[in-house]
Amino acid sequence: MSIPWMPREVSSRLYEKEHELENVRTTYLMSTAFVGAFLAREDGRRPSWFNRVKLMPVSTLTPDLQEHLSNTCHVVCMKTRQEVMSEPTKKGPVPEGRPTTGWQAGILCGRVLWRTLFTAAASKANINRNGSPVLYMAACQSLLATCRSLLTQIWLEVQLQFTSKISKYRNIKSRPAWSVLEGLQYKGFCLTNGFGLFDPEKVAPSSAGSKPASDLQDYLEEVLALRFAIDMLSLAMKDGEEFIDMQTKRLMRKAVPKQRLPGNAVEAELMALKQKTIDSFGMMWTDDAEIRGIASLSARLMDGLEGPSAVHFAATFTAQILLAMWKGAQPLLSQRAALGISRIAETHAVLGSLPPPPLEDADNEQSETAVFDRIALSYGPPSKDCRELVSALPRGVLGCVIKAQAVFRGFLLRSRYFRRMRAVAAYCKAARWPQLLAPLEGYDEPEESLDAKKDKRRLKKKPKKVDATKLKEEIQDYQPAVSKYLGGESTKGSAVGATQTAWRGGGTAAGSTADMNPERRPWPLPTADHRACSDLFALYMYNMYRRRELTQMWCTLCGAYERGMDNYAELLNKNPALKPMLESIAAQLKRGSVVGYDKAFIAKQRKDTEGPAGAGRNPGADMFASNRTKPAQGKQDTSTMRPLGLAPLPKDAGQGEGQQDMTGEYLANYLKEMDGDDSQFKDISASVLPLSTGTSPARKPPHEYIIQQEVAARQASPRQAAGMPSDPAEAAKKIKPDVPFCMKKVKPMWLPIKAHRFAAYRAKVLHLLPQRVLQQYVDFEKQGQYAACVKLLESATPGSLNVLSPSTLVSNKPLLVETVFQLIVGYSGLCLKNNQGNVAVKLITQVLDSMSLALRDLHPGHRTVLEAYLYDTALSIAYYMPNDISLSERAESFFQQASERYLRLEHTNRYCKCCLRAAAVLHQQGHLSEAEYYTQQALNKLADAPVSSLLVVCYHNLAVHTLVQQRLADSVAHVRAYVALLRQLPKLGNAWMQQVDNTQWLILKSQEMWPQFQQMQGIRDSQAVTKFGH
């Protein structure tokens, strides 16, 4: 592969001269070793690659060398894994120049090892040691260009294999064969760039691996590994460039920059060690003594290799040690790939564009592949619009574009490689490497004495002094010479630049263009007209791109509008009652088109809001206003009167305390542990009911649904099934819905509490258990013996995590304690799901009894949040276990404790949900007035809140509570309220809407049959009249 920054004379001597070919062979071997280590990093999980690399096999080494190599690889792997999985910022402020992330720390390990191994292995070949830095940079450049090309190809393949771009059956769960990935690797490394690999189709792997096929995780790991290699090789080339700059100054006897004085004895010793490694290219300096130690160990391992095949064995050593480095970095790649998969949705696969796996911000800013996905997509096949545009280009424009590209390539050469090219040329000249002629046997070229160099400096011509009096006149009369290619006038007979002495013996560079080979004559520089044409073409291309994007946006909007109109037309066909509303909207729009929309709508709204109270107001406008009024003196409001025997809420509830706010290191540790999830410390949304997704079962007419449920319930009961017909239709006719039947069927809505991050907490706890305890823990889980699982947490690695035994609980581990409590909450839910209610009751009772001591290390704010959550969970278990007398008696206490903490935290919506849960438990126990009181408390808290599904649940449950208390008028009013609220909300889930429809039908059915029920029960009308006046 051509090296863009290597001077032509150096490359020609290395490749054309027989005595310098050993440099090329050594560089090829070391590069192949790097490729083999990169490809074999996952051998064992995927088909093995190392036996398909053209290197000496490890089995040819002697047993003692194999043992030493194995031990060294183990040390390298452990050190690299320690570096990539650690976070240096956690240990305190990071000194300048040291890595701040695991990604950067891993790259530093790779740079030090790669440089040391290359130099140590190259020393086994018959080459000049002065050439090692340049050969090292050449190997890095070849590998870097190959990795960039392969990264583009693999990312394009990811877009094809895991999206529906070419096949609708492909998605992010596709499993392509390993041969697809191996084919790309073989083509990129061997066929295109010539590294030593065997064809994977012809040479079978030594191990087929544990995974039969690849998946998206493997491809993303490959992408991240290539990004890691590109960043490492780029920095390695900069390291080599810095070394040859300093070495050139030493060889040319130039002044080396002075170092600062050490501050203490330790720093002085470190600077002395660093000074010793400056002259040696093989020992790269780093402040980490462990990395220096393993680099020195790797270099000493190769000292015992002797003989003509020493360089080949050294290449095998290099490959194995680099393979250990890659295996140590593999957990970081796997973690980043899993994070990338978690951010991919099915919509990405449908659209045919997967997002790249992310890096941390600090790593992404310093990475050489920050926008690799965009660059890769630019190498994909051109779009149809681009092909049509290029085919329709006028004559001459394409030539201008080619000239502009040629100029840009020259700009890249100057900006990227010119400094490095100059540094390499100066170093090769100072080091007198490579040689034009083979050195004679037994002849050493004498070095020039220092006195002769001083004489040359003395004989140098002194610079001419400038006359300040004539300088101003010369500046005024100065006429710059502008090239004709840049718009200047052509000058005949212009002098050509002076020639420079070439490296070839007796050869000189061409002095004029007439002496140059016509085939190697460069392109003429583009003129101003050429630049204008290329700018115009670029602008034209950009406008065509904008036109295509706008057209796509317009098509999307039109398609959405058409689909919306079709859905609305279908809705009108299903529900003719919407036609009057549609006509009203059409009339308003028609009026707005005539008089202006601002006058038709905005002015009317201002008039309604700014007008006198009650003037022209819609009677339904105050439907959702607070119904609390100041009672007359001596009278009390019966709707909000607290029933006797209930403990009042604390007076200071709702007042925030300063100690409840979590800040500083505690909050930072919590957020890091929870992956930034701080939802527990924030109030929940008032949208407690899920929206409709279109996949749930369709809603049924309420009367049919209720009758079917009643028939199924009676047929399931042995006592009631005796008198029921076997035919469901006949059985339904025997059911007569009367008022008692309706009162029995209405139920308040139950808002369940969800376990918070149960899967993540469980995985974390399993990770803390020793291997001997882990299998026993999993067996207890399968058997449903969750108390035994908690008992096993006493054997956790950090210490005892058995929160049910606070006396032996580990101290100063608040986040682990919270993790176990959250895990027990999840286990309680599993018990209820598996009909193990008694186990759930026992678990939550033990938790509440030991909670006060177990939470002693938590921050006060964190403790308040967790206590409220646990008391709320206990209240929920009391709802599902009504037959447990002891738990039912404590239900009111659970509510008081949870609600007091919610008010202290100012979590209004959580408090309202807790009130609704307590009301449901009390309704279940037959305490109807208390249930209505707590539901009314929740409604009062939401008096000034916007419309939400939580308000719908409040009004729904109030309608149920009042109907069961035979206050029909209040119940009907609450039904009208939540029906009006539902019209202002988006469509909710069908399962919840079915319960809302059932309650509405039951209450309206009761209203229809209420007079007959009154006659049968002897209820007077005054007993059924409430403050609503119905």
Side-chain angles (χ1 to χ4, degrees), residues 721-965:
M724 292 291 295
S726 59
D727 186 11
E730 295 296 330
K733 293 179 181 179
K734 286 189 171 293
I735 298 175
K736 301 298 182 182
D738 51 5
V739 174
F741 175 83
C742 295
M743 290 183 179
K744 179 182 176 182
K745 286 297 178 183
V746 289
K747 300 292 181 185
M749 275 190 180
W750 172 255
L751 300 177
I753 188 170
K754 298 180 180 178
H756 183 70
R757 294 169 57 91
F758 173 69
Y761 287 129
R762 179 180 176 272
K764 182 178 178 181
V765 169
L766 294 180
H767 184 69
L768 298 175
L769 292 176
Q771 192 64 32
R772 58 184 177 81
V773 182
L774 181 59
Q775 186 59 42
Q776 190 177 4
Y777 186 95
V778 174
D779 294 339
F780 281 149
E781 273 190 339
K782 293 179 180 179
Q783 298 170 10
Q785 300 179 16
Y786 300 114
C789 293
V790 178
K791 180 69 175 176
L792 284 178
L793 294 181
E794 295 178 353
S795 304
T797 304
S800 175
L801 293 178
N802 185 3
V803 297
L804 304 182
S805 178
S807 59
T808 61
L809 189 64
V810 65
S811 59
N812 298 326
K813 297 289 183 180
L815 299 183
L816 292 181
V817 172
E818 188 227 5
T819 299
V820 178
F821 273 114
Q822 298 281 7
L823 182 68
I824 294 177
V825 171
Y827 284 155
S828 302
L830 291 177
C831 290
L832 295 175
K833 184 178 179 181
N834 299 330
N835 296 325
Q836 296 177 329
N838 296 329
V839 179
V841 172
K842 183 178 179 181
L843 275 177
I844 200 65
T845 304
Q846 292 179 345
V847 165
L848 296 180
D849 293 341
S850 60
M851 180 174 61
S852 58
L853 292 177
L855 298 178
R856 59 183 179 270
D857 292 336
L858 269 69
H859 185 278
H862 192 185
R863 178 173 181 169
T864 302
V865 170
L866 192 55
E867 286 176 348
Y869 180 66
L870 293 175
Y871 280 121
D872 210 349
T873 303
L875 182 63
S876 301
I877 295 177
Y879 174 81
Y880 289 107
M881 297 297 296
N883 296 328
D884 193 288
I885 299 176
S886 61
L887 195 66
S888 300
E889 291 176 351
R890 298 176 62 185
E892 184 181 349
S893 172
F894 297 155
F895 164 70
Q896 293 291 344
Q897 296 289 345
S899 61
E900 184 268 332
R901 286 163 175 79
Y902 284 143
L903 287 173
R904 192 191 310 167
L905 294 166
E906 298 182 358
H907 291 179
T908 304
N909 295 332
R910 292 185 192 269
Y911 167 77
C912 294
K913 284 187 69 175
C914 187
C915 289
L916 294 175
R917 293 191 190 103
V921 173
L922 292 171
H923 181 95
Q924 192 180 55
Q925 296 175 356
H927 304 298
L928 303 178
S929 58
E930 290 89 342
E932 182 186 0
Y933 168 73
Y934 286 137
T935 307
Q936 189 68 42
Q937 290 294 321
L939 186 61
N940 294 341
K941 274 288 183 182
L942 299 173
D944 300 327
V947 178
S948 62
S949 55
L950 186 57
L951 269 173
V952 173
V953 178
C954 289
Y955 278 109
H956 174 276
N957 290 1
L958 276 177
V960 173
H961 298 324
T962 51
L963 177 65
V964 177
Q965 297 180 69

Side-chain angles (χ1 to χ4, degrees), residues 431-662:
R432 299 181 179 182
W433 177 91
Q435 295 291 331
L436 178 63
L437 300 174
L440 299 177
E441 186 176 357
Y443 174 77
D444 294 332
E445 185 178 357
E447 294 187 0
E448 192 175 8
S449 63
L450 186 61
D451 295 335
K453 292 181 179 179
K454 291 182 179 179
D455 294 340
K456 283 186 177 181
R457 293 195 199 103
R458 233 181 265 116
L459 294 175
K460 282 186 178 179
K461 188 177 181 181
K462 295 184 178 179
K464 184 180 179 182
K465 293 185 178 180
V466 180
D467 189 358
T469 58
K470 298 182 180 180
L471 182 61
K472 188 173 182 181
E473 297 178 1
E474 292 179 0
I475 294 176
Q476 291 178 353
D477 298 338
Y478 178 72
Q479 294 293 335
V482 182
S483 171
K484 67 176 182 178
Y485 300 110
L486 300 177
E489 297 180 358
S490 60
T491 56
K492 296 181 179 180
S494 59
V496 183
T499 59
Q500 298 179 356
T501 304
W503 287 359
R504 293 185 175 89
T508 58
S512 63
T513 56
D515 299 332
M516 295 177 60
N517 188 354
E519 295 181 357
R520 298 173 58 186
R521 189 171 299 169
W523 282 81
L525 292 174
T527 62
D529 293 338
H530 294 153
R531 286 196 174 93
C533 290
S534 60
D535 292 343
L536 178 62
F537 175 71
L539 179 62
Y540 179 65
M541 290 285 288
Y542 178 66
N543 286 334
M544 293 298 295
Y545 166 76
R546 292 176 60 190
R547 173 191 173 190
R548 185 184 67 182
E549 293 295 320
L550 290 174
T551 304
Q552 185 176 0
M553 290 171 59
W554 176 252
C555 293
T556 305
L557 290 175
C558 291
Y561 180 76
E562 292 295 334
R563 286 193 300 271
M565 294 301 294
D566 293 340
N567 295 336
Y568 197 73
E570 184 179 357
L571 182 62
L572 287 178
N573 293 332
K574 292 182 179 180
N575 190 359
L578 294 176
K579 290 185 179 180
M581 181 183 68
L582 180 63
E583 293 174 358
S584 174
I585 295 174
Q588 292 181 11
L589 291 175
K590 185 176 181 180
R591 180 173 178 270
S593 63
V594 175
V595 301
Y597 294 101
D598 54 345
K599 296 180 181 179
F601 298 104
I602 301 177
K604 183 178 179 181
Q605 294 176 4
R606 289 177 179 173
K607 183 178 179 182
D608 291 343
T609 56
E610 298 176 0
R617 183 175 295 177
N618 188 355
D622 293 335
M623 181 176 297
F624 311 113
S626 176
N627 53 12
R628 293 176 293 178
T629 57
K630 288 186 178 181
Q633 189 173 3
K635 297 182 180 180
Q636 293 183 345
D637 191 353
T638 58
S639 64
T640 59
M641 184 185 300
R642 179 172 54 85
L644 296 176
L646 288 183
L649 294 177
K651 295 181 180 180
D652 59 345
Q655 298 177 359
E657 300 180 8
Q659 64 176 359
Q660 304 299 331
D661 298 333
M662 278 178 37

Side-chain angles (χ1 to χ4, degrees), residues 653-678:
Q655 298 177 359
E657 300 180 8
Q659 64 176 359
Q660 304 299 331
D661 298 333
M662 278 178 37
T663 57
E665 184 179 359
Y666 190 94
L667 181 59
N669 293 336
Y670 178 85
L671 293 178
K672 189 171 292 185
E673 193 73 20
M674 297 294 110
D675 295 330
D677 182 11
D678 59 346

Side-chain angles (χ1 to χ4, degrees), residues 282-294:
M283 292 302 297
M284 177 179 172
W285 174 259
T286 174
D287 293 333
D288 193 335
E290 292 181 354
I291 298 180
R292 296 200 307 268
I294 63 173

Side-chain angles (χ1 to χ4, degrees), residues 319-526:
Q320 286 293 321
I321 296 176
L322 287 177
L323 174 58
M325 184 273 296
W326 279 111
K327 284 188 176 294
Q330 185 60 29
L332 174 65
L333 306 179
S334 178
Q335 179 186 8
R336 286 292 165 188
L339 180 60
I341 293 176
S342 65
R343 299 185 179 184
I344 297 176
E346 290 291 344
T347 53
H348 292 104
V350 174
L351 294 176
S353 177
L354 298 183
L359 299 179
E360 293 185 14
D361 294 339
D363 299 330
N364 203 36
E365 290 175 359
Q366 301 180 11
S367 176
E368 296 288 334
T369 57
V371 289
F372 78 95
D373 54 322
R374 303 180 191 175
I375 298 175
L377 293 178
S378 68
Y379 283 92
S383 62
K384 180 181 178 182
D385 295 339
C386 181
R387 291 195 296 267
E388 293 177 354
L389 180 61
V390 173
S391 63
L393 283 176
R395 290 184 301 173
V397 176
L398 191 58
C400 294
V401 174
I402 295 174
K403 291 179 181 179
Q405 288 178 345
V407 174
F408 185 71
R409 289 173 65 90
F411 167 75
L412 286 181
L413 176 65
R414 291 191 299 272
S415 62
R416 286 187 183 177
Y417 307 120
F418 184 73
R419 183 180 180 279
R420 186 172 297 163
M421 181 190 304
R422 185 171 56 184
V424 171
Y427 174 77
C428 292
K429 182 178 180 181
R432 299 181 179 182
W433 177 91
Q435 295 291 331
L436 178 63
L437 300 174
L440 299 177
E441 186 176 357
Y443 174 77
D444 294 332
E445 185 178 357
E447 294 187 0
E448 192 175 8
S449 63
L450 186 61
D451 295 335
K453 292 181 179 179
K454 291 182 179 179
D455 294 340
K456 283 186 177 181
R457 293 195 199 103
R458 233 181 265 116
L459 294 175
K460 282 186 178 179
K461 188 177 181 181
K462 295 184 178 179
K464 184 180 179 182
K465 293 185 178 180
V466 180
D467 189 358
T469 58
K470 298 182 180 180
L471 182 61
K472 188 173 182 181
E473 297 178 1
E474 292 179 0
I475 294 176
Q476 291 178 353
D477 298 338
Y478 178 72
Q479 294 293 335
V482 182
S483 171
K484 67 176 182 178
Y485 300 110
L486 300 177
E489 297 180 358
S490 60
T491 56
K492 296 181 179 180
S494 59
V496 183
T499 59
Q500 298 179 356
T501 304
W503 287 359
R504 293 185 175 89
T508 58
S512 63
T513 56
D515 299 332
M516 295 177 60
N517 188 354
E519 295 181 357
R520 298 173 58 186
R521 189 171 299 169
W523 282 81
L525 292 174

Side-chain angles (χ1 to χ4, degrees), residues 294-313:
I294 63 173
S296 177
L297 175 64
S298 303
R300 290 201 306 269
L301 185 62
M302 298 187 191
D303 293 343
L305 299 177
E306 299 293 342
S309 300
V311 65
H312 297 280
F313 286 115

